[in-house]
């Protein structure tokens, strides 16, 4: 089965650029972008909406709307969330049948829940009728809070109501008709990428934090948040080679500019790759 799809922008946020580029020194990454006064760089929460024959699938849910003023300041978070992006394309979150998450860090899975109308209550599920598809390894690590950051698997997006709706996947699998996932470990052990064919003949791959922005096409550009830097780098190199060979259309989860790219051999650097607009 092929799918129609729409790129959703669930909101801008800013993270420390040094952390985003790991071992790459500032004089190098500063040639790529100019950070703000707090040394941060702008990112986007990119998500996809897939549709076919009335079936609706969301890939990735962004941060959501539950952060208070302090976090909003830290991340310079835009006042916008996945449900706003869906409403703009006339999609009601309660009509979504399935949500696929690459991993469960707050900037990917926070949008699973939203602020309750009564602020004292537990947050409400954003997608009350959707099954939530995630790798078993990721779910177990999230519940046990195994992460280099202690505040990224947040209990307010991994509530009992969400746990009830989760479908756990072990490794590579076709999880929905024509939609496959496969593990891309390194950023987390249980991270997965998502692939499907669209109605225009493209093989589309939603790329998680194995290559979050166009700047991360450099193999050594691992984030300080990765649980395994070496693994992340090897997975990225492999993904780039596959994407170039098969001419995949990639969507990069945190790219602030044009997030739809294709991969080509880099003519200036034998063995390396470059990205072009898709
Ligand atoms: Zn992320």
């Amino acid at each position: 089965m092929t799918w129609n799809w729409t790129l959703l922008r669930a909101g801008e946020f800013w993270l420390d650029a040094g952390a985003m580029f790991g071992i790459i020194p500032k004089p190098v990454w500063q040639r790529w972008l100019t950070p703000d006064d707090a040394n941060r760089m702008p990112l986007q929460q990119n998500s996809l909406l897939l549709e076919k024959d009335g079936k609706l699938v969301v890939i990735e849910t962004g941060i959501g709307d539950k952060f208070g003023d302090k976090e909003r300041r830290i991340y310079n978070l835009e006042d916008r969330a996945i449900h706003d992006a869906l409403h703009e394309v006339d999609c009601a979150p309660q009509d979504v049948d399935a949500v696929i998450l690459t991993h469960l860090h707050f900037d990917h899975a926070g949008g699973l829940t939203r602020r309750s109308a009564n602020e004292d209550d537990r947050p409400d599920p954003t997608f009350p009728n959707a099954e939530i598809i995630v790798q078993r390894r990721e779910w177990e690590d999230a519940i046990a809070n195994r992460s280099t950051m202690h505040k990224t698997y947040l209990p307010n997006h991994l509530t009992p109501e969400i746990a009830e709706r989760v479908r756990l996947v072990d490794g590579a699998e076709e999880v929905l008709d024509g939609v496959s996932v496969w593990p891309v470990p390194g950023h987390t052990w249980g991270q997965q990428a998502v692939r499907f064919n669209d109605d225009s003949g493209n093989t589309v791959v939603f790329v998680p934090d194995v290559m979050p922005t166009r700047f991360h096409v450099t193999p050594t550009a691992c984030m300080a948040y990765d649980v395994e830097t070496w693994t992340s780098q090897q997975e990225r190199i492999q993904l780039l080679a596959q994407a170039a060979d098969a001419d995949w259309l990639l969507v990069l989860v945190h790219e602030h500019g044009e997030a739809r790219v294709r991969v080509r051999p880099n003519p200036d650097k034998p063995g390396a790759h470059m990205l072009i607009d898709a």
Side-chain angles (χ1 to χ4, degrees), residues 180-199:
S180 300
V181 299
W182 78 98
V184 280
H187 180 62
T188 70
W189 293 285
Q191 183 178 243
Q192 63 184 1
V194 188
R195 184 176 62 235
F196 59 93
N197 292 322
D198 74 8
D199 291 344

Side-chain angles (χ1 to χ4, degrees), residues 103 107-108 187 209 254:
H103 62 296
D107 54 321
H108 300 254
H187 180 62
D209 281 339
H254 290 315

Side-chain angles (χ1 to χ4, degrees), residues 166-242:
V166 166
R167 190 209 316 175
L168 300 177
V169 180
D170 294 296
E173 192 177 301
E174 183 177 356
V175 291
L176 300 166
D177 193 4
V179 183
S180 300
V181 299
W182 78 98
V184 280
H187 180 62
T188 70
W189 293 285
Q191 183 178 243
Q192 63 184 1
V194 188
R195 184 176 62 235
F196 59 93
N197 292 322
D198 74 8
D199 291 344
S200 309
N202 299 303
T203 298
V204 182
V205 172
F206 188 80
V207 178
D209 281 339
V210 62
M211 187 167 64
T213 77
R214 296 172 77 127
F215 302 121
H216 292 82
V217 69
T218 302
T220 49
C222 293
M223 293 183 281
Y225 315 113
D226 292 351
V227 293
E228 287 186 11
T229 308
W230 169 258
T231 310
S232 193
Q233 186 180 122
Q234 298 308 306
E235 289 288 334
R236 181 160 52 256
I237 291 168
Q238 195 183 330
L239 179 91
L240 285 164
Q242 277 179 303

